[in-house]
Amino acid sequence: MKTIITDNIECECKNMIAAFLDTDFIMQKILQSYPNLSGAKQKSVSEDIRFYVNQGLELYSVSDTSVNTIPLTLFYSLNNFVKAAYLLRFPNLSLAGSHGLDLKTNELEKCNSLGEIPVHFTQKGTFPNLMEVTKDKFNLTDVVVLKDLFSVFPELCGIYSLIYSEEPNVFLLQAKTGDIGTYNVFYETDDEEAILKKNTSLLDENGYHMYIDKNYLGLRGELLLTADSWGKEENVIYYDSYGNKYCTVGIEVANKIVKPSKVCILYIFYYVFSMLVRYHPHLWMKYCNSKDVSIISKLMTTVKNISLIEVIQLLCDEKYIFTSKIADIEKDFDYSDILKNILKEVERENRRLGKSILLNYI
């Protein structure tokens, strides 16, 4: 994960994305993955990528308009960026024409709130292309409900608990000083019973174990990492745009627990909003005049910048944290200390199983 020091995240991201307007630079990136790609294919694909990046930037630049047009420009901006990222990763393949998602009119008319809207995946289109890049684990026969996606998006956790009066499925973490692999967990509500009922199998399977404690200060949790967590952070951890860390219990889709990537979540959000504005304006206005407007406003304003962070990460295949000063960054772990803690964990496990202590170092 790389750190970018800046006092303007949006501008910094735009500047970084602009590097992909240079076809020679694009060809260098393509050849890193496909060194044997023909010269003619390199040229045509790099020009296509440049076109999609340029169109993405132009659409993003005109997205500061009204609530009735922002969803359209933001979605088609992100849609173009995703096409560029897909061709960068798979320059020998072709793009599908559709968006890769679908809304059913009969289902929309029955929804009383934005969060109730079910979103269907299609077998071909830009969203399945995006999943190939991000390696998301949705089954394309599945249906996902917006409220579930709201519950795991870090930047929405406060608003989620406000309008739904329940704990979201993502939790802010704070590393414990001097205690490697242990975090304080902060909850949005004091509903201990509801939190205890959450399915934590995703955390447990990846070596992350969450415990809850309630005292006079309120509800607080603790997250412990075991040796089994090594290399599995991507499975359970989200970061917000400033590098704050969150763990998630994921969402249940078709009886399977999944952790969707932030860029896939944003793509779904902006797709739904754009379709409502364009084809179901009466529903869009109904939601804009309800408590759902708090989520809509957040995603159309503050979170809009996050889409650019996700885009540059897609294009560069690299994780970034943006901060205004180095002091804002959580101190890097001393890897010698991490190794010592892992060996201690192995030693404890071997003792528990009655194995030779020589196995501690094999």
Side-chain angles (χ1 to χ4, degrees), residues 325-353:
K325 55 185 178 180
I326 201 73
D328 289 342
I329 305 168
E330 180 183 311
K331 291 182 178 179
D332 290 335
F333 291 147
D334 183 328
Y335 283 93
S336 63
D337 286 341
I338 291 177
L339 181 58
K340 288 176 185 176
N341 278 273
I342 290 174
L343 290 175
K344 285 180 181 178
E345 179 72 24
V346 172
E347 183 178 357
R348 283 196 295 268
E349 185 68 6
N350 285 338
R351 282 178 177 171
R352 186 181 70 82
L353 298 174

Short mmCIF file of all heavy atoms in Angstrom, two decimals, residues 325-353:
data_model
loop_
_atom_site.label_atom_id
_atom_site.label_comp_id
_atom_site.label_asym_id
_atom_site.label_seq_id
_atom_site.Cartn_x
_atom_site.Cartn_y
_atom_site.Cartn_z
N LYS A 325 -0.74 14.75 5.93
CA LYS A 325 0.56 14.76 6.60
C LYS A 325 0.90 13.36 7.06
O LYS A 325 0.03 12.55 7.36
CB LYS A 325 0.55 15.73 7.79
CG LYS A 325 -0.55 15.49 8.81
CD LYS A 325 -0.55 16.56 9.89
CE LYS A 325 -1.68 16.34 10.89
NZ LYS A 325 -1.71 17.36 11.95
N ILE A 326 2.17 13.08 7.13
CA ILE A 326 2.64 11.75 7.44
C ILE A 326 2.20 11.31 8.84
O ILE A 326 2.01 10.13 9.10
CB ILE A 326 4.18 11.67 7.31
CG1 ILE A 326 4.62 10.20 7.13
CG2 ILE A 326 4.88 12.31 8.47
CD1 ILE A 326 4.30 9.63 5.79
N ALA A 327 1.96 12.26 9.73
CA ALA A 327 1.58 11.92 11.11
C ALA A 327 0.19 11.30 11.16
O ALA A 327 -0.17 10.65 12.14
CB ALA A 327 1.62 13.16 12.00
N ASP A 328 -0.61 11.51 10.09
CA ASP A 328 -1.95 10.95 10.08
C ASP A 328 -1.96 9.44 9.84
O ASP A 328 -2.97 8.78 10.02
CB ASP A 328 -2.79 11.60 8.97
CG ASP A 328 -3.14 13.04 9.30
OD1 ASP A 328 -3.03 13.40 10.49
OD2 ASP A 328 -3.51 13.79 8.38
N ILE A 329 -0.82 8.92 9.42
CA ILE A 329 -0.75 7.52 9.04
C ILE A 329 -0.45 6.65 10.25
O ILE A 329 0.41 6.97 11.05
CB ILE A 329 0.36 7.29 7.97
CG1 ILE A 329 0.14 8.23 6.78
CG2 ILE A 329 0.39 5.85 7.53
CD1 ILE A 329 1.30 8.29 5.86
N GLU A 330 -1.17 5.57 10.35
CA GLU A 330 -0.88 4.62 11.42
C GLU A 330 0.54 4.11 11.22
O GLU A 330 0.95 3.75 10.11
CB GLU A 330 -1.87 3.45 11.33
CG GLU A 330 -1.67 2.41 12.39
CD GLU A 330 -2.64 1.26 12.20
OE1 GLU A 330 -3.83 1.54 12.03
OE2 GLU A 330 -2.20 0.11 12.20
N LYS A 331 1.35 4.07 12.29
CA LYS A 331 2.74 3.66 12.17
C LYS A 331 2.83 2.24 11.64
O LYS A 331 2.09 1.36 12.01
CB LYS A 331 3.44 3.74 13.54
CG LYS A 331 3.63 5.17 14.03
CD LYS A 331 4.36 5.19 15.35
CE LYS A 331 4.59 6.61 15.83
NZ LYS A 331 5.28 6.65 17.14
N ASP A 332 3.81 2.04 10.74
CA ASP A 332 4.02 0.71 10.19
C ASP A 332 4.46 -0.24 11.30
O ASP A 332 5.20 0.14 12.20
CB ASP A 332 5.11 0.73 9.11
CG ASP A 332 4.65 1.46 7.87
OD1 ASP A 332 3.43 1.52 7.65
OD2 ASP A 332 5.50 1.97 7.13
N PHE A 333 4.02 -1.48 11.18
CA PHE A 333 4.46 -2.48 12.14
C PHE A 333 5.93 -2.79 11.93
O PHE A 333 6.45 -2.76 10.82
CB PHE A 333 3.66 -3.78 11.95
CG PHE A 333 2.23 -3.67 12.35
CD1 PHE A 333 1.26 -4.40 11.68
CD2 PHE A 333 1.85 -2.85 13.40
CE1 PHE A 333 -0.07 -4.31 12.06
CE2 PHE A 333 0.52 -2.76 13.78
CZ PHE A 333 -0.44 -3.49 13.10
N ASP A 334 6.61 -3.09 13.02
CA ASP A 334 7.96 -3.61 12.96
C ASP A 334 7.83 -5.10 12.62
O ASP A 334 7.31 -5.89 13.40
CB ASP A 334 8.66 -3.44 14.31
CG ASP A 334 10.11 -3.90 14.28
OD1 ASP A 334 10.40 -4.84 13.51
OD2 ASP A 334 10.92 -3.34 15.03
N TYR A 335 8.31 -5.50 11.44
CA TYR A 335 8.07 -6.86 11.00
C TYR A 335 8.79 -7.90 11.83
O TYR A 335 8.38 -9.06 11.89
CB TYR A 335 8.43 -7.01 9.51
CG TYR A 335 7.35 -6.41 8.65
CD1 TYR A 335 7.44 -5.08 8.22
CD2 TYR A 335 6.22 -7.14 8.32
CE1 TYR A 335 6.42 -4.52 7.46
CE2 TYR A 335 5.20 -6.58 7.57
CZ TYR A 335 5.31 -5.27 7.14
OH TYR A 335 4.31 -4.71 6.40
N SER A 336 9.87 -7.51 12.52
CA SER A 336 10.51 -8.44 13.43
C SER A 336 9.58 -8.75 14.60
O SER A 336 9.50 -9.88 15.08
CB SER A 336 11.84 -7.86 13.95
OG SER A 336 11.62 -6.68 14.70
N ASP A 337 8.85 -7.72 15.05
CA ASP A 337 7.87 -7.94 16.13
C ASP A 337 6.72 -8.80 15.65
O ASP A 337 6.20 -9.65 16.39
CB ASP A 337 7.33 -6.59 16.63
CG ASP A 337 8.35 -5.83 17.48
OD1 ASP A 337 9.29 -6.48 17.96
OD2 ASP A 337 8.18 -4.61 17.64
N ILE A 338 6.29 -8.57 14.41
CA ILE A 338 5.21 -9.38 13.85
C ILE A 338 5.62 -10.85 13.81
O ILE A 338 4.88 -11.75 14.19
CB ILE A 338 4.83 -8.90 12.43
CG1 ILE A 338 4.16 -7.53 12.51
CG2 ILE A 338 3.90 -9.89 11.75
CD1 ILE A 338 3.81 -6.93 11.17
N LEU A 339 6.87 -11.10 13.35
CA LEU A 339 7.36 -12.47 13.27
C LEU A 339 7.40 -13.12 14.65
O LEU A 339 7.02 -14.28 14.82
CB LEU A 339 8.75 -12.49 12.62
CG LEU A 339 9.38 -13.87 12.43
CD1 LEU A 339 8.49 -14.77 11.59
CD2 LEU A 339 10.76 -13.74 11.80
N LYS A 340 7.86 -12.36 15.65
CA LYS A 340 7.91 -12.89 17.01
C LYS A 340 6.52 -13.28 17.49
O LYS A 340 6.33 -14.32 18.11
CB LYS A 340 8.52 -11.84 17.96
CG LYS A 340 10.01 -11.62 17.79
CD LYS A 340 10.48 -10.49 18.70
CE LYS A 340 11.95 -10.15 18.44
NZ LYS A 340 12.39 -8.99 19.26
N ASN A 341 5.53 -12.43 17.20
CA ASN A 341 4.16 -12.73 17.62
C ASN A 341 3.60 -13.96 16.90
O ASN A 341 2.89 -14.76 17.49
CB ASN A 341 3.26 -11.52 17.37
CG ASN A 341 3.35 -10.49 18.48
OD1 ASN A 341 2.63 -10.58 19.47
ND2 ASN A 341 4.23 -9.52 18.31
N ILE A 342 3.94 -14.10 15.62
CA ILE A 342 3.49 -15.27 14.88
C ILE A 342 4.10 -16.53 15.45
O ILE A 342 3.42 -17.55 15.63
CB ILE A 342 3.83 -15.13 13.38
CG1 ILE A 342 2.95 -14.05 12.74
CG2 ILE A 342 3.62 -16.45 12.65
CD1 ILE A 342 3.31 -13.74 11.32
N LEU A 343 5.42 -16.48 15.76
CA LEU A 343 6.09 -17.65 16.33
C LEU A 343 5.51 -18.02 17.69
O LEU A 343 5.37 -19.19 18.03
CB LEU A 343 7.60 -17.39 16.44
CG LEU A 343 8.35 -17.34 15.10
CD1 LEU A 343 9.81 -16.96 15.34
CD2 LEU A 343 8.27 -18.68 14.39
N LYS A 344 5.15 -17.00 18.48
CA LYS A 344 4.51 -17.27 19.77
C LYS A 344 3.18 -17.97 19.58
O LYS A 344 2.82 -18.90 20.31
CB LYS A 344 4.30 -15.96 20.54
CG LYS A 344 5.58 -15.38 21.15
CD LYS A 344 5.26 -14.08 21.90
CE LYS A 344 6.53 -13.47 22.49
NZ LYS A 344 6.23 -12.18 23.17
N GLU A 345 2.42 -17.50 18.57
CA GLU A 345 1.13 -18.12 18.28
C GLU A 345 1.31 -19.57 17.85
O GLU A 345 0.57 -20.47 18.27
CB GLU A 345 0.42 -17.32 17.17
CG GLU A 345 -0.93 -17.86 16.75
CD GLU A 345 -2.00 -17.64 17.80
OE1 GLU A 345 -1.85 -16.71 18.62
OE2 GLU A 345 -2.97 -18.42 17.80
N VAL A 346 2.32 -19.82 16.99
CA VAL A 346 2.60 -21.19 16.55
C VAL A 346 3.00 -22.05 17.73
O VAL A 346 2.58 -23.21 17.86
CB VAL A 346 3.72 -21.17 15.48
CG1 VAL A 346 4.16 -22.60 15.16
CG2 VAL A 346 3.23 -20.47 14.22
N GLU A 347 3.85 -21.50 18.61
CA GLU A 347 4.30 -22.26 19.78
C GLU A 347 3.13 -22.64 20.68
O GLU A 347 3.02 -23.78 21.15
CB GLU A 347 5.32 -21.42 20.57
CG GLU A 347 5.91 -22.16 21.76
CD GLU A 347 6.95 -21.32 22.49
OE1 GLU A 347 7.25 -20.20 22.03
OE2 GLU A 347 7.45 -21.81 23.52
N ARG A 348 2.22 -21.68 20.91
CA ARG A 348 1.05 -21.96 21.74
C ARG A 348 0.19 -23.06 21.11
O ARG A 348 -0.30 -23.96 21.79
CB ARG A 348 0.21 -20.69 21.94
CG ARG A 348 0.79 -19.73 22.96
CD ARG A 348 -0.27 -18.71 23.38
NE ARG A 348 -0.66 -17.84 22.28
CZ ARG A 348 -0.08 -16.67 22.02
NH1 ARG A 348 0.91 -16.24 22.78
NH2 ARG A 348 -0.50 -15.93 21.00
N GLU A 349 0.02 -23.00 19.79
CA GLU A 349 -0.80 -23.98 19.10
C GLU A 349 -0.16 -25.36 19.15
O GLU A 349 -0.83 -26.38 19.36
CB GLU A 349 -1.02 -23.54 17.64
CG GLU A 349 -1.97 -24.42 16.84
CD GLU A 349 -3.41 -24.34 17.33
OE1 GLU A 349 -3.71 -23.51 18.21
OE2 GLU A 349 -4.23 -25.12 16.83
N ASN A 350 1.17 -25.41 18.98
CA ASN A 350 1.87 -26.70 19.03
C ASN A 350 1.79 -27.32 20.42
O ASN A 350 1.65 -28.53 20.58
CB ASN A 350 3.32 -26.54 18.58
CG ASN A 350 3.45 -26.38 17.08
OD1 ASN A 350 2.55 -26.77 16.34
ND2 ASN A 350 4.54 -25.80 16.62
N ARG A 351 1.91 -26.47 21.44
CA ARG A 351 1.79 -26.98 22.80
C ARG A 351 0.39 -27.52 23.06
O ARG A 351 0.22 -28.56 23.70
CB ARG A 351 2.10 -25.86 23.80
CG ARG A 351 3.60 -25.58 23.95
CD ARG A 351 3.82 -24.43 24.90
NE ARG A 351 5.25 -24.19 25.11
CZ ARG A 351 5.74 -23.14 25.76
NH1 ARG A 351 4.91 -22.23 26.25
NH2 ARG A 351 7.04 -22.99 25.90
N ARG A 352 -0.61 -26.79 22.54
CA ARG A 352 -1.98 -27.24 22.74
C ARG A 352 -2.22 -28.59 22.09
O ARG A 352 -2.95 -29.43 22.63
CB ARG A 352 -2.94 -26.20 22.14
CG ARG A 352 -4.42 -26.48 22.41
CD ARG A 352 -5.31 -25.42 21.78
NE ARG A 352 -5.31 -25.53 20.33
CZ ARG A 352 -6.06 -26.40 19.67
NH1 ARG A 352 -6.84 -27.24 20.31
NH2 ARG A 352 -6.03 -26.42 18.35
N LEU A 353 -1.58 -28.81 20.93
CA LEU A 353 -1.77 -30.07 20.20
C LEU A 353 -0.79 -31.15 20.62
O LEU A 353 -0.83 -32.27 20.09
CB LEU A 353 -1.64 -29.81 18.69
CG LEU A 353 -2.67 -28.86 18.08
CD1 LEU A 353 -2.33 -28.57 16.61
CD2 LEU A 353 -4.08 -29.44 18.19
#
